[in-house]
Amino acid sequence: MRAIDSVPPVSVIIPARNEERAIEATVQGFLNQTWQDLEIVVVDDRSSDATPRILAGISSSRLIVVEGTATPEGWLGKPWALQQGASRARGDVLIFCDADVRWEPQAVAAAVTTLLSENLDGLTIFPRLVMKGFWEHVLMGNLPLALVAYLPLWLFNRNQFTTMTVGSGVGNVVTREAWMRAGTHEALKNAVVDDVGLMRRVRLSGGRVQIFRASHLASIRMYHGLGEIVRGFTKNAWYAFGGRWSVFALASASMVFHVLPYVAAVAMVYAVSNGLAVPSWVSAGCAALVLLTAVRVVAFRSLGYRMDNALFGHPLMTVVFAWIALRSAWMNGVRRKLEWRGRSFDAGAARSGLG
């Protein structure tokens, strides 16, 4: 990473399409930041709701609203909006984030200071996940659980393997030089999982990327209720498997092993209560259940999530996500129709962005 000022200009780039529910609070959160040389670039991605009116009502010299143009052929809407915003921004450090995030006043300063002090090219923000209601608590913990259980932060931050790189819609903090070296968002123009794709490309181009655990500084409520969860992950799941049937089949088969330990527990209770011999597969399954539950308890406790879901939520979470994965494969892999925010794209022309 080239040397930049100790207090570089920072640009926050937010794509906003029909974000009337959250955009004002998100922008105000960034306007309240303690980092002085800061601008907030919001790209109104041809919204049809009250988003333009809300943005017009926010008076601040730090806020720049870009009226997004029609999505060019070969692009998806979000990467195009991010490309427009970053091209307009003047910062030496760029923060790409979604329109429904909450950053505490000192968050930008903490993130940029960490980026500079660690001599990094990119920083992925790991936030506090806000969950409300039964389905959000059961399902949404799956994402941070996977990160904490299968990709510990200490391991991620001590290697530069591209396949172990993650990104975050809550905030990808990169130097402008790293963004340019990664090919800008033009290299991700048809990427569905653009946030992970960006950070992987930063690493591929020789940049150093780390995760910044910022649960005290940033938060997000990704989806409101079961319907939004299903629609949101239906858009992404097929591409999380790289859009390949072989990977999808392998991942789907592996889900069976997340349910079998609970089947084994029921079989154990039945065998013991009836004085029957316990089969070896039942004993192995119960041992796996103990290990699985221990991992969930430790991870959920670390993340501050509910213990009842740590103990009992895994099988329901697995079944629902298996259904979402099948739905995503049908919509995107078979019907070739990618739908989001009132727009439809040819799923055959889209890609994951993870390669």
Side-chain angles (χ1 to χ4, degrees):
M1 183 177 74
R2 69 174 174 84
I4 59 178
D5 294 339
S6 59
V7 187
V10 177
S11 298
V12 178
I13 297 135
I14 304 171
R17 177 173 172 82
N18 296 340
E19 295 285 358
E20 62 181 7
R21 181 170 66 189
I23 189 63
E24 184 171 13
T26 297
V27 171
Q28 290 293 350
F30 282 112
L31 291 176
N32 292 334
Q33 293 297 309
T34 59
W35 192 267
Q36 293 302 308
D37 197 351
L38 177 72
E39 66 177 6
I40 300 93
V41 181
V42 180
V43 181
D44 174 27
D45 188 13
R46 301 166 70 84
S47 298
S48 58
D49 65 357
T51 298
R53 177 178 57 79
I54 293 171
L55 291 171
I58 301 175
S59 178
S60 173
S61 60
R62 293 176 117 182
L63 174 63
I64 298 170
V65 178
V66 177
E67 186 176 345
T69 60
T71 306
E73 184 177 355
W75 287 75
L76 295 180
K78 184 182 176 185
W80 174 237
L82 291 171
Q83 180 75 10
Q84 293 176 87
S87 299
R88 176 70 179 272
R90 63 175 179 82
D92 287 335
V93 175
L94 307 176
I95 301 177
F96 297 99
C97 67
D98 293 340
D100 53 356
V101 303
R102 302 290 183 271
W103 282 48
E104 297 299 319
Q106 67 275 28
V108 169
V112 175
T113 298
T114 300
L115 184 82
L116 300 179
S117 64
E118 297 294 329
N119 195 32
L120 301 173
D121 298 275
L123 199 64
T124 297
I125 302 301
F126 186 80
R128 177 173 60 89
L129 191 60
V130 177
M131 297 169 285
K132 298 181 180 180
F134 176 79
W135 288 110
E136 290 178 45
H137 278 284
V138 169
L139 299 176
M140 293 307 299
N142 184 44
L143 295 180
L145 170 66
L147 186 61
V148 171
Y150 306 121
L151 185 58
L153 300 190
W154 64 267
L155 178 60
F156 178 95
N157 288 343
R158 285 167 176 77
N159 79 83
Q160 291 297 307
F161 296 126
T162 303
T163 55
M164 297 181 68
T165 308
V166 296
S168 172
V170 177
N172 280 337
V173 185
V174 298
T175 65
R176 179 177 289 276
E177 181 184 354
W179 178 70
M180 296 289 292
R181 198 168 56 238
T184 75
H185 275 81
E186 186 172 4
L188 298 163
K189 63 183 181 180
N190 59 349
V192 177
V193 194
D194 61 276
D195 48 7
V196 179
L198 174 61
M199 303 312 270
R200 288 193 174 187
R201 290 196 63 83
V202 170
R203 272 190 169 177
L204 275 172
S205 62
R208 295 184 63 240
V209 176
Q210 291 188 4
I211 293 178
F212 180 49
R213 185 165 180 178
S215 56
H216 60 301
L217 295 172
S219 64
I220 185 172
R221 185 181 179 189
M222 287 182 62
Y223 300 118
H224 293 230
L226 179 61
E228 289 191 11
I229 293 172
V230 170
R231 290 189 293 274
F233 285 109
T234 293
K235 174 177 70 75
N236 291 335
W238 172 249
Y239 298 97
F241 302 128
R244 297 193 295 270
W245 285 106
S246 57
V247 178
F248 172 78
L250 182 63
S252 298
S254 70
M255 291 183 180
V256 174
F257 295 98
H258 286 263
V259 177
L260 280 179
Y262 295 89
V263 176
V266 173
M268 173 70 82
V269 171
Y270 178 82
V272 171
S273 61
N274 289 276
L276 303 175
V278 178
S280 57
W281 73 268
V282 171
S283 298
C286 289
L289 179 58
V290 171
L291 178 60
L292 174 62
T293 303
V295 170
R296 285 179 62 89
V297 166
V298 171
F300 275 49
R301 183 176 181 82
S302 172
L303 295 166
Y305 298 161
R306 283 171 36 175
M307 282 297 103
D308 57 341
N309 283 316
L311 294 170
F312 306 114
H314 193 77
L316 181 57
M317 180 194 75
T318 301
V319 170
V320 174
F321 270 109
W323 172 64
I324 290 174
L326 288 171
R327 187 173 186 266
S328 181
W330 169 254
M331 293 289 292
N332 300 322
V334 177
R335 292 184 60 197
R336 300 286 184 174
K337 188 176 183 181
L338 177 63
E339 296 181 335
W340 190 244
R341 299 283 184 186
R343 290 189 292 205
S344 295
F345 299 91
D346 176 11
R351 63 185 179 89
S352 67
L354 304 180

